[in-house]
């Protein structure tokens, strides 16, 4: 029997995050198309960026597709194509940890670069810092969940977390599937929900963009000489 708090956390809160994620992107696109950017800092430093950025992005892509299979594909489907649970388990751990190592290594380099280079750090906003924090939490809790509860332990997330995920999209999530999950899986999901909640207000919006719009929209923004524009929340620099 789940409590009211658990129902709020594993039923209501995820849908609130989904509403913020969709509504925030619509609002951001309508109000700040010229801010829909990665805010590149390559001109300030490129050596570490050339190593850290590809490692991070390739690791993220691997993690993303791993989650698509792990959360979206039922174990009955993988069994039907002749992939046993044992070999799925081995593949998930080895490939997943390899992607995690690349992602973590790249993220460490990017944070180190941003913190130690004065010019790069000067271009770092409050929302950048929040983004890096939540990204680090998501990845760390994900690695801990994989190592502690799956590689060493015996928890099968496809019998719990994956069921909750698919039920979420059918609007019938059972909070019991998450309340019975080990702590690192719960923390992994909570930190992922938090990063989705701030996603529309960070540079992460560039994931959904393509440079096609630059072919048709003007490339110069005209402002009066004396006017000063108030910084948006995601543009404020430093604490």
């Amino acid at each position: 029997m789940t409590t009211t708090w658990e129902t709020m956390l594993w039923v209501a809160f995820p849908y609130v995050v989904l509403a913020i994620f969709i509504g925030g992107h619509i609002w951001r696109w309508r109000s700040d198309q010229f801010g829909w950017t990665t805010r590149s800092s390559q001109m300030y430093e490129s050596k570490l960026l050339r190593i850290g950025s590809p490692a991070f992005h390739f690791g993220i892509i691997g993690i993303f597709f791993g989650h698509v299979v792990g959360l979206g594909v039922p174990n009955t489907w993988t069994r039907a194509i002749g992939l046993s649970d044992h070999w799925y388990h081995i593949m998930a751990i080895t490939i997943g940890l390899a992607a995690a190592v690349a992602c973590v290594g790249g993220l460490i380099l990017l944070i180190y670069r941003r913190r130690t280079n004065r010019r790069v750090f000067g271009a770092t906003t409050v929302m950048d810092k929040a983004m890096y924090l939540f990204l680090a939490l998501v990845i760390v809790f994900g690695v801990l969940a994989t190592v502690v509860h799956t590689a060493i332990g015996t928890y099968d997330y496809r019998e719990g977390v994956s069921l909750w995920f698919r039920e979420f999209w059918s609007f019938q999530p059972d909070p019991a599937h998450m309340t019975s999950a080990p702590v690192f899986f719960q923390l992994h999901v909570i930190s992922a929900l938090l990063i989705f909640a701030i996603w529309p207000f960070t540079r992460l919006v560039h994931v959904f963009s393509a440079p096609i719009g630059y072919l048709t929209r003007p490339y110069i923004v005209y402002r009066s000489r004396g006017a000063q524009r108030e910084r948006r929340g995601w543009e404020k620099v430093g604490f």
Side-chain angles (χ1 to χ4, degrees):
M1 185 69 180
T2 56
T3 66
T4 302
W5 164 250
E6 291 168 338
T7 302
M8 292 288 291
L9 180 61
W10 300 116
V11 178
F13 178 57
Y15 287 113
V16 170
V17 170
L18 180 62
I20 294 174
F21 183 81
I22 296 174
H25 277 90
I26 295 173
W27 171 80
R28 177 79 181 271
W29 177 253
R30 289 182 174 179
S31 63
D32 185 38
Q33 288 191 30
F34 283 95
W36 194 285
T37 173
T38 61
R39 296 175 58 90
S40 175
S41 58
Q42 184 176 0
M43 68 178 66
Y44 302 133
E45 196 282 331
S46 60
K47 291 182 179 180
L48 290 176
L49 186 65
R50 281 199 299 264
I51 302 173
S53 182
F56 173 75
H57 284 90
F58 282 121
I60 280 289
I61 291 172
I63 291 172
F64 170 77
F65 283 109
H67 279 68
V68 169
V69 174
L71 296 177
V73 178
N75 51 17
T76 54
W77 292 16
T78 54
R79 292 170 188 164
I81 63 173
L83 183 62
S84 67
D85 291 345
H86 173 71
W87 280 107
Y88 174 88
H89 180 73
I90 292 176
M91 290 175 60
I93 292 176
T94 54
I95 297 174
L97 287 180
V101 168
C103 187
V104 170
L107 183 62
I108 290 174
L109 276 179
L110 292 175
I111 294 176
Y112 173 81
R113 169 183 175 270
R114 191 163 291 275
R115 190 63 186 87
T116 57
N117 188 293
R118 183 169 55 87
R119 291 186 297 174
V120 176
F121 187 72
T124 303
T125 67
V126 171
M127 292 307 294
D128 287 337
K129 296 176 181 179
M131 177 195 71
Y132 280 117
L133 172 63
F134 287 126
L135 275 175
L137 289 176
V138 170
I139 296 169
V140 168
F141 287 139
V143 171
L144 288 174
T146 301
V147 173
V148 175
H149 301 310
T150 302
I152 300 176
T154 59
Y155 178 73
D156 186 358
Y157 63 88
R158 294 199 295 171
E159 297 292 343
V161 178
S162 297
L163 294 177
W164 172 85
F165 177 80
R166 294 195 294 274
E167 290 167 352
F168 171 81
W169 295 107
S170 63
F171 299 100
Q172 294 179 324
D174 183 356
H177 289 139
M178 286 305 306
T179 57
S180 61
V183 61
F184 285 130
F185 274 101
Q186 295 189 32
L187 293 174
H188 179 55
V189 173
I190 291 173
S191 56
L193 289 171
L194 291 174
I195 200 168
F196 279 115
I198 69 169
W199 191 301
F201 316 107
T202 69
R203 67 178 64 203
L204 291 174
V205 294
H206 79 277
V207 172
F208 304 107
S209 54
I212 298 174
Y214 287 99
L215 299 176
T216 58
R217 70 183 185 182
Y219 60 90
I220 298 177
V221 181
Y222 291 95
R223 300 188 182 95
S224 61
R225 179 175 297 179
Q228 288 190 346
R229 179 177 61 89
E230 182 181 357
R231 288 179 177 266
R232 299 173 178 83
W234 56 84
E235 293 178 324
K236 295 178 180 178
V237 178
F239 286 116

